[in-house]
Every structure is written in structure tokens, then in C-alpha cells.
Amino acid sequence: MMWLPATFLFLIGATPALAQLTGSVGPTTAASAKRNTICNVLSYGGSVGSSDIGPAIQSAFNNCVLKNKGSTLYVPAGNYNMATWVTLNGASQWALQLDGVITRTATTGGHMIIVQNANDFEMYSSNSAGGIQGNGYQCRNAGPRLLRVITSTSFSVHDLIFVDSPEFHVILDNSQKGEVYNLAIRGADIGGSDGIDVSGSNIWIHDVEVTNRDECVTIKNPSSNHLIERIWCNQSGGSAIGSLGTGTTIENIVYRDIYNVGGNQMFMIKSNGGDGYVRNVVFDNFLGLGTAYALDIDGYWSSISTIAGNGVQLTNITFSNWDGYIVDGSRRAAYQVLCADNAPCTQINIENVQLWASNNVGKYACRSAYGSGACLKSGSGGGYSQVTESYTKPAAYSSPPTLSGNLASGFATNSPIPLPTISTTFFPGMPAISPLAKNGGSPTGPSSPTQPAGGSGGTAAHYAQCGGQGYTGPTTCASPYTCVVSNQYYSQCL
């Protein structure tokens, strides 16, 4: 767990975007406070090699966890099949320690594991090798999702592996004060295989690798005050906000240190009609290698039917410190900001973003969009038709670095996907914020990254981050700006 003060603020943007984690995230008590009673599934009808461990998990929860505050539901190391899905509803100060691997065998829809209305909860594997094998190739888009955490508070999910869900992998549904980290998610090269979908408030997601052909780590409605960082979208569909519809209320979001290898986009905000707002959002320090799209706002996203409404209003959105390339600049614009004509985007800030294409063709595309950078119109105003402009290779562009685990392609949809090991780095040059549990990481121990003595060289642009605990980038600001300390976690060039 990371304890973060209410003053943890990020201020970035021409009119500064305010995004924040408010208060603490993660469980409120230490791991030891959840081990007063061990509810071992082997004592509730389960066995290693079981043909259906579901009833034993449900029994251990109903008859042990619910009756003993401060307990751990324990699934020991080993292999288990599962044909009965479970709903673990209402407990507080408890843990689910999944050291074994559970394999889906039934094709029933729903979710294999639902954790609902939990408070002070932790789900993890102590060996950093436990998880769920969905074998989705056997029932593609016709079976269960793997894990859904619903309306839960002060929780963490970490050191787990989720593989080949028939549909989505991990869903955080209208929950708050959560921390998710040290995960490996591996889906097939097909849509409908979302990695992590999150809605709610005050969620910190970091150090996650996702392979699939749909959402990497994506914000859903409603959402506020999320921090998403050190995410490795490794042959993934890429992260996004959306798709958005009526009544959208999304604000105060930060994505930073996001590494994209292949796949659909570096980031996308997607809608087609609807109403409401997305505001005060920062996308900082993105790297992209060979994606189809790069910086992509699409208010006319054709993959969904048009929804009634004038469009979702996007305001105060900052893209800073990007470096990457798309595959085909003739086919797609690397910078694409297409906003709804009846709800033009305002205060879209593109700063120090260096994007290019493998075929050496650079294009901007803007529609009903106002702000600074690329082809954006300054100020504000009404809707306007799409404008497409060509540009030459940015002088500051450099080929992004690679990681040894970068995949050349996704996984087949009609054959098994093996369980990976969880990485210890998720962005080039940056270690994981929290060590793996198997390497001595405490399940709920405080994590306090130290402030580095110096940056990685170079200078940080106006409004970019220049310091803070765990930050490893440049600490010197481009002239005439100065590195201003907001708090122990964030400093910015102002």
C-alpha cells in the first residue's frame, strides 16, 4: 500500500489541469492484521488438483472469512480447475491469497471471481505466480470474465497473473481508494479482451504489463482522481478513455510513463455523440513503437453507433513529453484531434510531443479543436471541418528505447496462451515502484520510493514533471522555466 497525502497534486497545462489522488489508497491495515485466521480452501472441501475449486472458495468465505474479521482466504500453490463462479460480498479487513493457479473449465457467463462491497481488502499471491488461466480460446467471447471488484473501498490487487479471459480480464467497478500493481495480463490478439477497466475514484494503477488487442488500462465512466503509471502495453490495443456516452463525468486523471509496443494506439479518447465532460487530464511521458494510431481523440469513433447528444465536452487535456512512431503515416495522422462539432474541445495542449511514422509521412488532423500545438486552433470557438496538414520529421524525435520482453506480435486466438512471469520493470529505465512479493515486497507495507539524486539527462519542457519521489527523468527545466516543488511526490517546470 502507498499512503498518499491529500495534498498529492499534479498541476500541468496552459490552464493547469488538476488531477490528484486524494488521501490514502490501498488497505488500511497491515498484512498481519489479516492473518488472525487462515481460511484454507483445503479445509473447506477443496483439494489441489480439484475439478472445481469454486465451492470451496465460497464455503471458506461464507463460513470463515465472514465470521472472522482479520482473516485470509488462502488458496495454496498448485493447480485447480474451476467451474462454479463465486461472489465474495461484504467482508472487511480480509485478504484473498491466491498462490495457486485456477483454470476456467465451465463456459457460464458472468465473472469467475466477484469481490463486492469489500473494505480494507487485499488480493495477491505471495509467490508472485498465482493467478487465473481463462483458456479463452475454447469459448471466445462466450464465457466469463476473470475478476470484478465492485463498489469496494481501500483495497489492493497485486502480484497476480491473468491469462486469456474469454472476455475482459480485470474490472474495477465504481470502487475507490484502490491500488493495483505488479500484474501480468495476457490476452489473445482479438477485441473484447480488455486488460483493466476502471471506474470510481482515487485509484492508483502502476507496474502492469498487458498483451491483448483491446483496452490496455482504460478509464470508464464515471471516474475521478486516478493515477495510472508505468504501464507496459506490450502488443495491446492501447489505453483509452471511453467509449463515452450520455452523462459522462470524468475528471482529474493522470497517465504517465506509459510504454506502448505495437497494437492500436498510444492513447485514445473515444466517443460518438453522448454528453457530459472529460476535463483536467494529463498524459505525460509516453513512448510508442509501431502503433497504428498515436495521439488520438476521436469524437466520431465509428466502432460504436452514434449516441443521442451534442457530444462529450473535452476541456483542459494536456499531452506532454511523447516520443514514438506509427506504422503508416499515409493512412493515419499521428496527431489526431477530432472533436464533436456541437461540443468543440478546448484547452487541448500538445507540448514536446515528437511523433513520426515508419514510412516517413507526417500528418496532423484536427476538427472542432482548440488549444496549442499540432493543427489546433488557438482560443475557442464553434465547430469546424476537419483540417489535415503535413509536417516534416520533428528535429527532437528519437527512436524510443526497447525492453528485452517486447513482443513482435500478439497471441493466437485459437490456441493456449502460456502463463508469463511478472516483470520487474514496465517502462524503460524505471524499476517497479513496489518490489514483487516473491522478492520481499510486503503485501501491505508502506512503499516509499526515494527521490533520485539526478535526472536521466536533458531538460524538461514547460509544464512537464521535473522531480518527486520515484521520478527518474530530467530535473532541469528548459529556459526560462524553473522546477517548482508542489509536494514530495511532484515538481513541475513553471
Side-chain angles (χ1 to χ4, degrees), residues 60-83:
F61 180 79
N62 293 345
N63 297 301
C64 185
V65 172
L66 286 177
K67 296 179 180 179
N68 297 280
K69 186 176 182 178
S71 57
T72 290
L73 197 167
Y74 179 43
V75 181
N79 294 311
Y80 308 82
N81 289 337
M82 187 170 177

Side-chain angles (χ1 to χ4, degrees), residues 348-430:
I348 308 299
N349 309 299
I350 300 176
E351 299 192 355
N352 194 32
V353 173
Q354 318 295 337
L355 299 175
W356 195 231
S358 294
N359 61 346
N360 294 316
V361 177
K363 290 193 298 185
Y364 305 125
C366 294
R367 175 176 176 176
S368 302
Y370 296 85
S372 61
C375 52
L376 295 165
K377 290 189 176 183
S378 61
S380 62
Y384 60 85
S385 299
Q386 180 171 325
V387 175
T388 301
E389 300 176 1
S390 297
Y391 67 92
T392 58
K393 186 176 183 179
Y397 171 81
S398 61
S399 182
T402 61
L403 289 176
S404 61
N406 284 355
L407 297 172
S409 61
F411 289 92
T413 63
N414 58 355
S415 59
I417 298 175
L419 269 69
T421 57
I422 302 174
S423 182
T424 57
T425 184
F426 301 83
F427 189 91
M430 294 184 181

Side-chain angles (χ1 to χ4, degrees), residues 79-412:
N79 294 311
Y80 308 82
N81 289 337
M82 187 170 177
T84 303
W85 313 154
V86 298
T87 297
L88 313 178
N89 186 8
S92 62
Q93 194 179 318
W94 71 288
L96 171 52
Q97 182 179 338
L98 176 56
D99 285 351
V101 174
I102 295 173
T103 298
R104 176 209 58 78
T105 56
T107 57
T108 312
H111 302 80
M112 290 180 67
I113 298 177
I114 289 177
V115 176
Q116 189 166 5
N117 299 321
N119 181 48
D120 186 14
F121 164 73
E122 184 163 15
M123 180 175 177
Y124 71 101
S125 65
S126 66
N127 55 14
S128 304
I132 302 176
Q133 167 62 268
N135 277 341
Y137 74 97
Q138 297 172 340
C139 55
R140 187 68 62 203
N141 292 322
R145 301 168 185 184
L146 302 189
L147 173 68
R148 192 179 198 110
V149 179
I150 304 174
T151 55
S152 295
T153 303
S154 299
F155 66 93
S156 66
V157 177
H158 64 94
D159 286 273
L160 290 165
I161 301 167
F162 298 93
V163 173
D164 198 16
S165 178
E167 297 196 51
F168 302 168
H169 289 81
V170 177
I171 303 163
L172 308 179
D173 184 353
N174 279 288
S175 295
Q176 59 181 327
K177 298 183 180 180
E179 183 181 7
V180 176
Y181 61 99
N182 290 348
L183 300 187
I185 298 174
R186 211 154 247 195
D189 192 14
I190 192 172
S193 56
D194 296 20
I196 300 177
D197 292 335
V198 54
S199 65
S201 64
N202 204 32
I203 304 293
W204 184 24
I205 302 174
H206 60 92
D207 301 307
V208 173
E209 179 187 2
V210 177
T211 300
N212 59 3
R213 196 56 61 183
D214 213 314
E215 316 289 7
C216 183
V217 178
T218 288
I219 302 295
K220 300 294 186 179
N221 185 55
S223 279
S224 63
N225 304 97
H226 299 326
L227 172 60
I228 318 296
E229 62 180 328
R230 302 192 192 186
I231 305 299
W232 186 5
C233 303
N234 192 3
Q235 292 297 336
S236 168
S239 296
I241 293 177
S243 55
L244 305 174
T246 57
T248 297
T249 55
I250 295 176
E251 60 185 340
N252 302 339
I253 307 295
V254 169
Y255 276 80
R256 65 180 185 185
D257 306 332
I258 309 299
Y259 187 54
N260 298 276
V261 179
N264 294 355
Q265 74 266 347
M266 290 178 68
F267 199 90
M268 183 180 195
I269 302 177
K270 50 187 176 180
S271 61
N272 190 350
D275 55 40
Y277 59 81
V278 176
R279 62 194 183 196
N280 306 335
V281 182
V282 172
F283 303 105
D284 184 56
N285 202 23
F286 277 54
L287 295 175
L289 293 83
T291 55
Y293 297 84
L295 190 163
D296 188 13
I297 294 177
D298 193 347
Y300 293 90
W301 190 49
S302 60
S303 293
I304 60 172
S305 300
T306 302
I307 299 168
N310 289 332
V312 177
Q313 178 72 63
L314 274 56
T315 304
N316 201 15
I317 313 293
T318 295
F319 301 86
S320 58
N321 305 313
W322 286 36
D323 191 19
Y325 64 91
I326 61 173
V327 173
D328 187 348
S330 300
R331 184 177 179 186
R332 301 182 176 98
Y335 303 75
Q336 178 168 279
V337 186
L338 308 179
C339 301
D341 293 338
N342 294 322
C345 300
T346 59
Q347 296 174 270
I348 308 299
N349 309 299
I350 300 176
E351 299 192 355
N352 194 32
V353 173
Q354 318 295 337
L355 299 175
W356 195 231
S358 294
N359 61 346
N360 294 316
V361 177
K363 290 193 298 185
Y364 305 125
C366 294
R367 175 176 176 176
S368 302
Y370 296 85
S372 61
C375 52
L376 295 165
K377 290 189 176 183
S378 61
S380 62
Y384 60 85
S385 299
Q386 180 171 325
V387 175
T388 301
E389 300 176 1
S390 297
Y391 67 92
T392 58
K393 186 176 183 179
Y397 171 81
S398 61
S399 182
T402 61
L403 289 176
S404 61
N406 284 355
L407 297 172
S409 61
F411 289 92

